[in-house]
Amino acid sequence: MNDLADIDQERMPRHIAIIMDGNGRWAKQRGKLRVFGHQNGVDAVRRTVENCAKHKIDYLTLYAFSTENWNRPKLEIQTLMKILVTSLRKELKTFTENNIKLNAIGNINALPRKAAEELMEVMQKTQNNTGMTLTLALSYGSREELRTAIQAISTKVKNNIISTEDIDDTIINTHLYTHDLPDVDLLIRTSGEHRISNFLLWQIAYAELYFIDVFWPDFSEQHLVEAIINYQNRERRFGKTSEQLS
């Protein structure tokens, strides 16, 4: 078990992204409905946000609801949206106390009106906070994001605003939902699954991937610390050799 003292404060990941997986299975283990898992998952979100702020992580992105999640049972979707609205209202105080700026990526227009309005209100009230940026990926799918970016860039080429020779990583980045976020340094997925699930495919090109068997409602500060220390023990080469880095 790793201790807080084991963390190298000089080598913290700047941007952590988390695929919060396992709410339903966590509830099933306890003989409860899936909604019970989602409700307890909110507590894990609060803990993780506060702990990341505590450890001075600059950016935290949480995969809250994917484009594929719209295919779930209607009742579960309605419940998830109600939890989203309620949580945003409750967590405004947490955001304010921790100087956290709320951000969102995805097809926000697809959200129910009440959820979208609550989201925009909290984002507006926290927009001047200067601490950690918390990004919720809502109605988000990386393939949709890339497709939308390609369409926008193609339109600019067609209208002679840019040429094909102008298209580079910077141009692509400016057309993504995440245009104001740095690339992901550490991607964590809970529940024992080893998939990316259409999450930030462009942005995790050189991220360190960390998979943990714990279901999301049980994700604790200790698990976060262990993920960060695991990240710090890796050599990030970005295509170079170890000799070049040294």
Side-chain angles (χ1 to χ4, degrees):
M1 182 176 292
N2 293 298
D3 187 84
L4 292 178
D6 296 327
I7 289 184
D8 182 352
Q9 298 297 333
E10 301 301 317
R11 299 179 57 238
M12 297 295 284
R14 188 180 182 207
H15 186 178
I16 295 178
I18 304 179
I19 300 174
M20 308 178 293
D21 196 15
N23 288 345
R25 281 167 287 167
W26 183 89
K28 186 177 180 180
Q29 280 186 350
R30 289 157 177 78
K32 303 284 188 178
L33 297 175
R34 291 177 61 86
V35 64
F36 183 72
H38 294 315
Q39 290 168 340
N40 282 272
V42 171
D43 294 334
V45 169
R46 182 185 303 109
R47 287 195 306 271
T48 303
V49 169
E50 291 178 343
N51 288 326
C52 282
K54 169 184 171 182
H55 292 290
K56 297 187 173 12
I57 301 300
D58 292 331
Y59 298 90
L60 173 64
T61 300
L62 302 177
Y63 203 6
F65 193 88
S66 73
T67 51
E68 291 77 19
N69 286 155
W70 290 115
N71 296 318
R72 290 190 174 186
K74 186 175 181 180
L75 180 59
E76 181 175 353
I77 293 174
Q78 290 174 340
T79 301
L80 284 168
M81 291 301 130
K82 287 179 182 177
I83 290 174
L84 172 63
V85 171
T86 304
S87 299
L88 286 169
R89 288 174 183 164
K90 288 182 178 179
E91 298 310 316
L92 179 57
K93 182 180 179 182
T94 300
F95 299 152
T96 302
E97 290 176 348
N98 291 278
N99 195 25
I100 294 169
K101 176 182 178 180
L102 182 66
N103 182 39
I105 57 174
N107 184 6
I108 306 304
N109 291 330
L111 297 176
R113 180 180 58 81
K114 196 170 183 178
E117 288 176 352
E118 196 72 36
L119 177 65
M120 293 303 167
E121 183 177 342
V122 177
M123 287 173 60
Q124 190 275 326
K125 288 182 177 178
T126 62
Q127 64 181 346
N128 294 321
N129 289 351
T130 57
M132 183 179 76
T133 296
L134 168 64
T135 300
L136 299 180
L138 292 162
S139 189
Y140 174 87
S142 190
R143 286 184 172 182
E144 180 181 77
E145 176 185 31
L146 291 168
R147 183 171 63 249
T148 301
I150 292 168
Q151 290 170 341
I153 293 170
S154 298
T155 298
K156 289 184 178 180
V157 171
K158 182 179 179 180
N159 293 329
N160 296 316
I161 298 173
I162 60 174
S163 69
T164 54
E165 290 75 17
D166 292 328
I167 301 172
D168 56 11
D169 285 4
T170 300
I171 289 288
I172 295 172
N173 280 326
T174 59
H175 289 82
L176 297 175
Y177 295 140
T178 56
H179 58 85
D180 54 352
L181 302 176
D183 282 349
V184 176
D185 296 305
L186 171 61
L187 174 69
I188 301 170
R189 180 168 189 153
T190 60
S191 89
E193 301 293 352
H194 294 71
R195 295 189 295 273
I196 303 304
S197 295
N198 197 19
F199 185 46
L200 301 175
L201 300 178
W202 174 273
Q203 299 86 343
I204 63 168
Y206 279 101
E208 299 299 324
L209 309 183
Y210 183 82
F211 302 102
I212 183 171
D213 290 338
V214 170
F215 291 139
W216 175 247
D218 290 329
F219 190 77
S220 66
E221 181 177 15
Q222 182 63 43
H223 296 125
L224 176 67
V225 167
E226 289 174 357
I228 292 173
I229 292 174
N230 182 281
Y231 162 87
Q232 292 180 339
N233 287 332
R234 300 187 191 185
E235 183 180 63
R236 306 190 74 203
R237 295 193 297 272
F238 299 96
K240 298 179 180 179
T241 66
S242 298
E243 291 73 22
Q244 285 176 302
L245 293 176
S246 60

